[in-house]
Amino acid sequence: MPLYTDVITVPADTPENSPVAKTFEVWEDYVTLIGVYFPPGCIAKVKVRCFYGSEQIAPLPKGSYFVGDGAFISAPMRWKIPEKPCPIRFEACSPGTHYEHSPVLYIETMEEEEAKPYKILNDFVSILKRLMGL
C-alpha cells in the first residue's frame, strides 16, 4: 500500500477564500485513506480539505474541514481513481491565526489486486503450498 505524504505550510491568517494548496499525483487504483496530522498548536484553527477537481472527496459532507491539535485525523475510504495520474489537491487555511502552521498530509493507496476481497485467501493458500512443497 503506497503512501504519499508531504507538509503544507499555511501562513498566519490565511483566509478560507484564498487557501494554500498542495497537489499529489496518485498512480494506484484506489485511495484508501486521506489524513492530516495537525501538530500541537494548531488548536483547530488550521483547516484542511481534499479535492479531486472541484469535487471535495474528504472530509464529508462537502464544505467541512479536517481540524485538530496534536492529532492525526483521517478519512478511511475506498475511492476508485478516475484517471492516471490522478491529481488530488489539499487546500488549507488558517483564519484568525497569528503564526504559520505546517500540518502533514497523507494519502494511502492500493492497487486493484490488493483490493480484491479474496487476495488474502489466495496469499494464504500460496504460502501453504510453498510450505508443503507443492
Side-chain angles (χ1 to χ4, degrees):
M1 287 199 200
L3 177 68
Y4 297 78
T5 185
D6 204 350
V7 173
I8 187 168
T9 300
V10 187
D13 202 26
T14 300
E16 287 184 18
N17 65 353
S18 186
V20 294
K22 175 83 63 171
T23 301
F24 293 87
E25 287 191 348
V26 174
W27 290 87
E28 292 73 28
D29 298 312
Y30 289 91
V31 172
T32 57
L33 181 134
I34 292 176
V36 181
Y37 173 70
F38 293 94
C42 289
I43 57 171
K45 288 189 172 189
V46 178
K47 302 175 177 184
V48 179
R49 54 189 177 175
C50 189
F51 293 86
Y52 167 67
S54 62
E55 174 190 358
Q56 184 173 334
I57 56 176
L60 296 176
K62 182 181 175 184
S64 61
Y65 291 89
F66 290 111
V67 295
D69 185 50
F72 178 69
I73 311 297
S74 65
M77 59 181 57
R78 186 171 289 191
W79 183 69
K80 181 139 176 76
I81 68 165
E83 63 179 301
K84 287 187 183 182
C86 182
I88 296 179
R89 183 181 76 259
F90 285 84
E91 292 184 356
C93 60
S94 60
T97 60
H98 299 290
Y99 305 99
E100 76 175 26
H101 294 279
S102 298
V104 183
L105 311 173
Y106 295 89
I107 300 174
E108 190 175 282
T109 64
M110 76 168 54
E111 295 288 354
E112 182 75 38
E113 275 300 307
E114 297 172 284
K116 292 180 180 175
Y118 55 84
K119 181 178 182 342
I120 293 172
L121 181 59
N122 283 345
D123 290 348
F124 180 71
V125 170
S126 294
I127 291 169
L128 278 178
K129 284 181 178 179
R130 274 188 269 145
L131 289 173
M132 294 169 43
L134 300 175

